[in-house]
Amino acid sequence: MVCVIELDDVRVRLGQREVLCGVTAALPERRVGVIGANGSGKSTLARLLNGLVLPTSGTVTVLGDDTRRHAARIRRRVGFLFTDPDAQIVMPTVAEDVAFSLRRRKLPREEVERRVADILERYGLAGHADHPAHQLSGGQKQLLALCSVLVLEPEILVMDEPTTLLDLRHSRLVADVLRELPQQVVVVSHDLALLADFDRLLVLDEGRIVADTTPRAAIDHYRKLMS
Amino acid sequence: MNGLTGAYVPGDSPLHRLPAGAKLAGLAALCTVLVLLRAPVAMAVAALVVGVLFAVSGVGAAAAWAQVRPVRWFAVALFVMQVVFADLPSAITSVSRVVLAVALAGLVTLTTRTVAMMAFLERCLSPARWVGLDPFRLSLLLSLTIRSVPVMADLATRVREAQRARGVEWSVRAFAVPLVVSALRHADALGEALSARGLDDHDEGTGHAAP
Ligand SMILES: Nc1ncnc2c1ncn2[C@@H]1O[C@H](COP(=O)(O)OP(=O)(O)OP(=O)(O)O)[C@@H](O)[C@H]1O
Ligand SMILES: [Mg+2]
């Protein structure tokens, strides 16, 4: 089987702390979840997957490329959604922010406008296209950030707690989106319901993978760990 | 705040369709004329022209007022000073000059998308390439600045509310420290989000060696 994401004895040291201590995993599944306590290294693991964080030792291979050598190319192929949508929205209005993602593609203007309109329509933001982004609710901002990532059609989508700021309805919307996305997704979350039907779940604890199994078994393990 | 951020009012008027560069050139020209005008009568004509331009743009009175509103107290103060130290006609001329210039600048913002403004700016800045600056980065800097205004305002409100919730009514330090910290944290997250969106890479070929 072709492994889309491969981590080989990855260690990450940030400042004085060893944040990840020897993580090895091959992740070919379409939907992979990561859970674990606060500070266990989940965000660091997610950031490794598109080269935002580089391993201190060991290698991270994504779509056949080493993140240490091909960070720019990997970032074009791996979309990343952060927890805080405010930091991801860079343009003043909704449609402009989505269009901004496409800038470097050098597409004709009509093509850009069509793609932007399509994606805003799909995620229920069409009515807000020309609204200032700061007037959206937190959930709508997260959807906008998602649109701005998905419009680039990444081959892998990595999300760090995408539903933390969302209400139940918007969380479900994101869950539905995840279910239908054709690409591979890796989701870090404390929202166990979101990950319940994933193909595989990793449990991190103090920088190590302590369980790597089906969601049901992983969640049980995580509950015991937390009690 | 809205005068700067997301002030664009969608529309299909001739002003909306005019290229950003033409509008900025027109703005410069009209402001020059405003500076040269002396007589209150001339100002009345200028006010009429500005009024007609606003009517043509179809942005609505509320949007127009929102552009001028921020300078209202300044205008009043200026008027009083001019009346005291000069005379009534010059008070009328200087106040209308300021208000009309602000209104015209506002009209450009109201009818131009940030993207169009950025594209124009990038073209103007393209000579900057020769001294090693990237015009794309310069125009990105501009739009990030615009986008940061509401984010900062929001952070300030949150810090203020957190203080009130803890019963602190007013303390400069208790306000400034968390605000600066959250601003820096925001800047960090923004930088990371920009590089995740591939905006720190220059070429389309193979990637750079990571730092
Ligand atoms: N830049 C940094 N310098 C030093 N230590 C850091 C840095 N970034 C993160 N850490 C530390 O690394 C550890 C793991 O951080 P990480 O953000 O990956 O945790 P997490 O599992 O995502 O936690 P949470 O659930 O709270 O988001 C934390 O203890 C944190 O303090
Ligand atoms: Mg985290």
Side-chain angles (χ1 to χ4, degrees):
Chain A
M1 197 184 298
V2 184
C3 286
V4 192
I5 297 172
E6 266 187 280
L7 302 142
D8 183 27
D9 193 27
V10 173
R11 287 165 197 279
V12 175
R13 177 177 283 281
L14 294 173
Q16 293 304 304
R17 266 197 66 156
E18 178 125 270
V19 178
L20 290 179
C21 352
V23 170
T24 300
L27 308 171
E29 288 84 0
R30 201 171 65 78
R31 288 187 297 150
V32 178
V34 181
I35 54 180
N38 290 131
S40 56
K42 305 182 297 298
S43 298
T44 309
L45 180 67
R47 282 167 163 73
L48 277 170
L49 303 183
N50 74 341
L52 280 176
V53 168
L54 294 170
T56 312
S57 71
T59 54
V60 180
T61 313
V62 178
L63 297 163
D65 284 330
D66 184 338
T67 57
R68 212 191 300 263
R69 267 179 298 157
H70 301 287
R73 187 156 78 207
I74 286 171
R75 275 181 212 149
R76 272 199 291 279
R77 303 173 72 184
V78 181
F80 201 107
L81 194 68
F82 297 85
T83 312
D84 180 9
D86 258 321
Q88 302 173 73
I89 300 169
V90 297
M91 294 300 256
T93 67
V94 171
E96 284 174 325
D97 191 70
V98 180
F100 183 67
S101 291
L102 295 170
R103 267 196 64 110
R104 297 247 148 152
R105 294 283 162 98
K106 308 227 166 23
L107 298 169
R109 211 171 57 130
E110 301 77 48
E111 174 72 9
V112 170
E113 280 172 7
R114 194 183 56 74
R115 288 200 196 184
V116 170
D118 277 359
I119 201 142
L120 290 179
E121 180 72 45
R122 182 142 23 110
Y123 295 103
L125 290 173
H128 297 286
D130 284 313
H131 289 181
H134 68 89
Q135 282 175 8
L136 297 179
S137 75
Q140 289 171 327
K141 282 185 193 168
Q142 190 58 294
L143 286 179
L144 168 57
L146 182 63
C147 288
S148 295
V149 172
L150 287 180
V151 76
L152 286 165
E153 299 172 344
E155 290 156 68
I156 300 177
L157 185 61
V158 181
M159 303 172 149
D160 190 358
E161 301 190 36
T163 57
T164 301
L165 302 171
L166 304 191
D167 66 19
L168 201 55
R169 196 163 57 90
H170 285 97
S171 305
R172 286 213 186 110
L173 184 61
V174 170
D176 292 343
V177 170
L178 288 186
R179 206 163 295 129
E180 273 154 32
L181 283 179
Q183 50 268 82
Q184 186 185 27
V185 290
V186 177
V187 181
V188 169
S189 188
H190 295 289
D191 179 355
L192 301 180
L194 176 71
L195 307 178
D197 65 345
F198 270 40
D199 302 314
R200 178 172 172 184
L201 234 56
L202 309 179
V203 183
L204 276 189
D205 189 39
E206 298 190 354
R208 278 171 232 279
I209 295 180
V210 293
D212 176 358
T213 169
T214 62
R216 183 186 287 253
I219 289 171
D220 279 348
H221 190 106
Y222 175 63
R223 289 230 162 87
K224 272 194 215 103
L225 204 68
M226 292 291 104
S227 59
Chain B
M1 191 176 78
N2 259 20
L4 191 60
T5 54
Y8 177 72
V9 177
D12 197 32
S13 74
L15 280 172
H16 282 84
R17 271 171 289 160
L18 218 54
K23 274 183 275 195
L24 288 174
L27 175 64
L30 287 176
C31 286
T32 313
V33 172
L34 279 176
V35 172
L36 296 177
L37 293 181
R38 292 271 172 260
V41 184
M43 279 300 166
V45 176
L48 196 70
V49 171
V50 173
V52 169
L53 286 175
F54 266 91
V56 167
S57 75
V59 292
W65 171 238
Q67 295 297 310
V68 187
R69 212 179 82 104
V71 295
R72 65 196 188 284
W73 298 121
F74 174 74
V76 170
L78 183 67
F79 186 81
V80 171
M81 284 201 343
Q82 290 277 329
V83 170
V84 173
F85 295 110
D87 49 40
L88 187 64
S90 56
I92 293 173
T93 344
S94 18
V95 169
S96 13
R97 190 177 287 146
V98 170
V99 172
L100 292 178
V102 169
L104 282 171
L107 187 59
V108 174
T109 345
L110 288 170
T111 57
T112 316
R113 287 176 194 275
T114 317
V115 177
M117 202 77 96
M118 268 178 81
F120 173 71
L121 219 88
E122 249 176 278
R123 244 174 294 131
C124 292
L125 291 171
S126 50
R129 240 184 248 292
W130 302 113
V131 294
L133 292 169
D134 179 351
F136 168 68
R137 289 190 173 219
L138 292 173
S139 75
L140 176 62
L141 185 68
L142 181 83
S143 57
L144 285 181
T145 310
I146 296 175
R147 162 77 189 126
S148 296
V149 173
V151 174
M152 282 312 177
D154 209 40
L155 286 180
T157 316
R158 266 187 257 167
V159 170
R160 217 37 220 108
E161 282 170 355
Q163 267 182 37
R164 284 230 185 84
R166 293 169 60 182
V168 180
E169 262 324 302
W170 184 243
S171 143
V172 175
R173 226 185 82 185
F175 180 70
V177 172
L179 184 63
V180 169
V181 169
S182 42
L184 290 176
R185 194 173 294 146
H186 173 75
D188 233 25
L190 188 64
E192 209 174 31
L194 280 173
S195 60
R197 278 170 88 172
L199 291 159
D200 58 347
D201 343 315
H202 267 259
D203 57 351
E204 292 296 313
T206 50
H208 295 287

